[in-house]
Each structure stands twice: as structure tokens, then as C-alpha cells.
């Protein structure tokens, strides 16, 4: 659940529900964005699991949440829960890459219009958003350097927007850029950071908020470089 973008309070609640249903003792869980500590009340042993990578897969979060509630209601056994989780990890996949890319382009154009852009720029914004997301996707897959993919993709988006406006293929440079970068904006991490803070998980909420802030900063720096040297 942590790897798939779940809130920290949801992760802790799910683990404690499973522990309470599986044993006669209370589960004790402490989760952060990069690691989870788990123990049983009265026990001396603590298990630690690190979270090396984090992404967004809300379908997987929902399925794990459903399984935990089924187990808490004693509708399935612990062995069935474990096998279902293993199967879920293997079978639950993201949307196909082509669908993600197509969706990013359509979202870019639609949000450009919502933010006050012109329909004249719709096709250009869709194409720029699509190309920017392609750069982001493959940079994240190949480079494996945090925040660099966001910087590169926003830089390409800004460069293409300047090119489009310069050759009179677009009208509103700012609206085209805003629409193009919207698929890169960390909306879910920001929302989860606020929800964790409101739930009292100050450490995790601040860590996630800082990660979202750095991601937004990388996007902004990529655009700023374009304006400084090419606009």
C-alpha cells in the first residue's frame, strides 16, 4: 500500500486490523514513507520493511483494503489472505503505456481550456503534453534519478511551447505550458500529505509534503530554464 501511494494512517490501520484479527493481541505499527515498523503488543521482536520505491496505483490500494476488511470480518483465513495478496501483487498492473500517454495529452488540452486558454491552442497543447509525458515516463524508467524526470519533461514542454508560439502555431504561451505540465503535478501526494497531517501523522505528512514540493520545484525549474535562455 505504501508503494502504491496510500495514506500512512490507512496503512497503519490496515496492518493493525489484520494483526488484531489474526492474534489475540494488539498490533503496533509505525509507518513512514520510506519504511514500516511492525510488532505485536507484549512481544520483543520488531519487523522492519523498507519502501525503496513509491508510485501511484490506487486500484491496488483499494484491493488490499478490501482484503484486509474481509479478513477482519473472518470471511477468509490468514492463508487465503496471504495468497490473495501475493496474487494481487503479480496481477495488478498499471494502465498500458499507450493509454497513459494518450490520457496525458487529453488531460493537458482539457486543463488548458479550463484554465482560460483558447481552443486554438488545444491540439498543440495535447501534442506537447503527450511528448512531455513520454519524456517523463522513459526518463523515470531509464535514469532512476528522483526529480530528474520531472525536470527534463517540463524543460521539453516549455521548449516546445516556445517553439509553437514562435512559429504562430499557438497563441497563449503561459496557458499551453500550464496545460502541458499538469499531468506531472503531484496532486495525489499533496492530497495524501495533507490528509496525513490532519490525521496526526506529522512526520509522514511533512516527508510526503516535502517530496511533493521538490517535485513541483523540479517542474518549475525546468520551465524557468526555458524562459531564461530560450523565451
Amino acid at each position: 500500500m505504501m508503494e502504491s501511494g496510500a495514506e500512512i494512517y490507512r496503512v497503519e490501520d490496515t496492518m493493525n486490523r489484520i494483526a488484531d484479527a489474526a492474534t489475540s493481541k494488539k498490533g503496533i505499527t509505525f509507518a513512514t514513507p520510506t519504511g514500516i515498523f511492525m510488532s505485536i503488543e507484549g512481544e520483543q521482536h520488531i519487523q522492519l520493511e523498507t519502501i525503496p520505491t513509491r508510485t501511484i496505483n490506487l486500484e491496488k490500494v483499494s484491493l488490499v483494503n478490501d482484503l484486509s476488511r474481509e479478513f477482519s470480518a473472518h470471511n477468509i483465513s490468514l492463508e487465503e489472505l496471504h495468497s490473495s495478496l501475493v496474487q494481487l501483487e503479480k496481477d495488478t498492473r498499471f494502465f498500458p503505456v499507450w493509454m497513459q500517454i494518450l490520457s496525458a495529452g487529453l488531460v493537458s488540452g482539457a486543463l488548458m481550456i479550463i484554465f482560460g486558454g483558447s481552443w486554438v491552442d488545444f491540439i498543440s497543447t495535447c501534442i506537447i503534453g503527450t511528448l512531455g509525458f513520454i519524456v517523463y515516463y522513459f526518463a523515470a524508467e531509464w535514469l532512476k534519478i528522483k526529480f530528474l524526470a520531472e525536470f527534463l519533461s517540463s524543460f521539453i514542454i516549455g521548449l516546445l511551447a516556445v517553439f509553437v508560439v514562435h512559429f504562430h502555431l499557438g497563441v497563449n504561451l503561459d496557458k499551453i505550458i500550464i496545460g502541458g505540465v499538469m499531468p506531472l503535478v503531484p496532486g495525489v501526494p499533496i492530497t495524501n500529505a495533507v490528509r496525513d497531517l490532519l490525521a496526526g501523522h506529522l512526520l509522514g505528512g511533512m516527508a510526503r509534503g516535502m517530496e511533493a514540493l521538490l517535485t513541483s520545484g523540479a517542474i518549475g525549474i525546468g520551465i524557468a530554464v526555458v524562459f531564461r535562455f530560450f523565451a
Side-chain angles (χ1 to χ4, degrees):
M1 294 179 74
M2 289 295 296
E3 290 178 345
S4 301
E7 307 93 321
I8 288 177
Y9 75 85
R10 187 186 301 276
V11 174
E12 293 185 351
D13 178 68
T14 299
M15 296 179 68
N16 289 335
R17 283 175 179 271
I18 294 174
D20 293 345
T23 67
S24 58
K25 299 180 181 180
K26 181 181 179 181
I28 302 174
T29 308
F30 178 72
T32 70
T34 56
I36 297 176
F37 298 85
M38 177 69 186
S39 183
I40 302 297
E41 187 177 35
E43 299 291 335
Q44 297 181 352
H45 300 289
I46 299 177
Q47 185 173 356
L48 167 65
E49 289 290 339
T50 59
I51 313 296
T53 59
R54 292 174 300 281
T55 183
I56 303 297
N57 190 337
L58 299 183
E59 180 183 5
K60 186 177 291 187
V61 173
S62 177
L63 292 174
V64 173
N65 190 68
D66 292 340
L67 285 173
S68 69
R69 294 182 183 278
E70 286 287 317
F71 179 72
S72 299
H74 302 288
N75 294 328
I76 59 175
S77 65
L78 184 60
E79 290 76 15
E80 290 173 328
L81 173 64
H82 179 266
S83 61
S84 297
L85 290 173
V86 172
Q87 194 67 28
L88 183 150
E89 177 67 19
K90 294 179 180 178
D91 293 344
T92 305
R93 296 289 184 265
F94 288 109
F95 290 105
V97 176
W98 66 268
M99 186 177 292
Q100 296 182 48
I101 293 172
L102 179 62
S103 300
L106 294 176
V107 166
S108 296
L111 289 176
M112 182 274 297
I113 297 297
I114 291 175
F115 282 106
S118 170
W119 283 102
V120 176
D121 299 327
F122 181 78
I123 300 299
S124 298
T125 305
C126 289
I127 295 174
I128 290 173
T130 299
L131 295 175
F133 187 81
I134 290 173
V135 172
Y136 166 76
Y137 181 88
F138 289 103
E141 285 288 321
W142 295 339
L143 299 179
K144 303 294 184 181
I145 301 176
K146 195 67 176 174
F147 311 119
L148 183 58
E150 288 86 350
F151 169 79
L152 291 176
S153 57
S154 63
F155 176 79
I156 295 299
I157 288 171
L159 202 61
L160 291 173
V162 170
F163 173 85
V164 164
V165 173
H166 178 74
F167 287 96
H168 306 291
L169 301 174
V171 178
N172 299 311
L173 176 62
D174 54 341
K175 299 299 189 298
I176 294 174
I177 291 177
I178 290 172
V181 301
M182 286 308 293
L184 309 177
V185 174
V188 174
I190 292 174
T191 303
N192 286 349
V194 174
R195 294 184 68 179
D196 283 331
L197 288 172
L198 294 178
H201 294 272
L202 302 182
L203 179 62
M206 291 177 63
R208 283 196 165 177
M210 181 58 66
E211 183 177 15
L213 180 63
L214 291 174
T215 300
S216 302
I219 296 172
I221 291 171
I223 299 298
V225 170
V226 172
F227 277 116
R228 175 63 179 85
F229 295 103
F230 299 99

